[in-house]
Amino acid sequence: MFEDRHIAARLAIALMDLTSLNDDDSPAVIDNLCQQARTNQGDTAAICIYPQFIPQAKAKLASSDVQIATVVNFPSGNGQIDMIVSQTNQVIDYGADEVDLVLPYQALMQGNLDTPKAMVEQVKAACGNQVLLKVIIESGILAEAKLIQKASEIAINAGADFIKTSTGKVAVNATLSAAKTMLDVIAVINPKVGFKAAGGVRTLDDAVRYMQLGADRLGNDYLSKKTFRFGASGLLSNLLSELGQESGDLNSKY
């Protein structure tokens, strides 16, 4: 399916959440990210940024279909449910189109299944049907397939629109083995739930491996921004290089 590398690269761009979640993010960094999200090879699916930058990005990308995603309970996953629901309401008021929630994965590892379930349910209630909810399970910390499976099951059954591998803030982020486990859970419980690989997807070859896995498990139509994403910061420049563009061409459509 991915023999034509140009077609594969354009598809990967369309499935990307172009991400900047760094301590030194600034308005200038976010402006540049918004410019990068719109390329001559197509727009990325979304940008993922910290909540305080949502109004700025919303204004900058108002003429596009690029969605604004942000994070809550990030990156530790240790927040109290009422505080995270309040944070979710706030980022929705700011204009977020998508919310990436960190599951209380440490509670899950300690055998507490109720807290992760309740948090996802209540954050989903705050998001409603208008705001997409992605749940980050932090698969690199969970590590064991049975824990990755359980986290995925809890998130989906509690209302997640997507399940996402990682915050990108730990030593091990997205892996193909974790992705396989998560996609298999999606296939069994609800094939309409999306999957997002985040952290460590840096090249077209990396992206193709995940896209092929998604297509093998759930069909070629699953490779849509409605159901399949990459969370990435460095991937875009590699894809554009594959397409014969230099980094200076990133913002030429803006």
Side-chain angles (χ1 to χ4, degrees), residues 108-109 137 141-152 181:
L108 172 64
M109 294 172 74
I137 67 167
I141 298 294
L142 295 178
E144 299 176 17
K146 64 180 181 180
L147 284 175
I148 294 170
Q149 178 180 336
K150 178 56 67 177
S152 300
T181 299

Side-chain angles (χ1 to χ4, degrees), residues 60-229:
K60 202 77 173 174
L61 292 168
S63 63
S64 78
D65 291 328
V66 179
Q67 300 293 283
I68 310 298
T70 194
V71 288
V72 298
N73 205 24
F74 185 91
S76 71
N78 288 333
Q80 297 298 310
I81 292 176
D82 58 346
M83 292 179 61
I84 302 310
V85 171
S86 176
Q87 186 181 14
T88 302
N89 286 324
Q90 184 177 52
V91 303
I92 292 171
D93 287 344
Y94 285 166
D97 301 302
E98 304 178 0
V99 170
D100 289 23
L101 163 73
V102 182
L103 188 81
Y105 60 90
Q106 295 179 49
L108 172 64
M109 294 172 74
Q110 295 163 5
N112 176 356
L113 309 185
D114 293 336
T115 297
K117 176 177 181 289
M119 183 175 288
V120 176
E121 286 176 341
Q122 292 186 40
V123 171
K124 177 57 183 174
C127 289
N129 295 323
Q130 301 304 310
V131 176
L132 196 74
L133 175 61
K134 308 192 204 85
V135 176
I136 305 168
I137 67 167
E138 203 68 287
S139 57
I141 298 294
L142 295 178
E144 299 176 17
K146 64 180 181 180
L147 284 175
I148 294 170
Q149 178 180 336
K150 178 56 67 177
S152 300
E153 290 170 349
I154 289 171
I156 293 170
N157 287 327
D161 298 304
F162 268 72
I163 52 175
K164 173 179 170 180
T165 58
S166 324
T167 60
K169 300 296 186 180
V170 297
V172 178
N173 293 293
T175 65
L176 287 168
S177 60
K180 178 183 179 299
T181 299
M182 295 167 72
L183 287 163
D184 285 346
V185 173
I186 290 170
V188 169
I189 297 179
N190 184 355
K192 293 182 179 180
V193 169
F195 167 79
K196 179 175 172 179
V201 185
R202 298 186 178 90
T203 68
L204 175 59
D205 288 335
D206 292 337
V208 164
R209 292 184 189 101
Y210 284 98
M211 290 191 293
Q212 187 66 66
L213 189 62
D216 289 346
R217 291 296 182 281
L218 288 147
N220 293 344
D221 289 346
Y222 192 72
L223 301 183
S224 157
K225 66 182 180 181
K226 294 180 179 179
T227 45
F228 195 95
R229 301 278 186 90

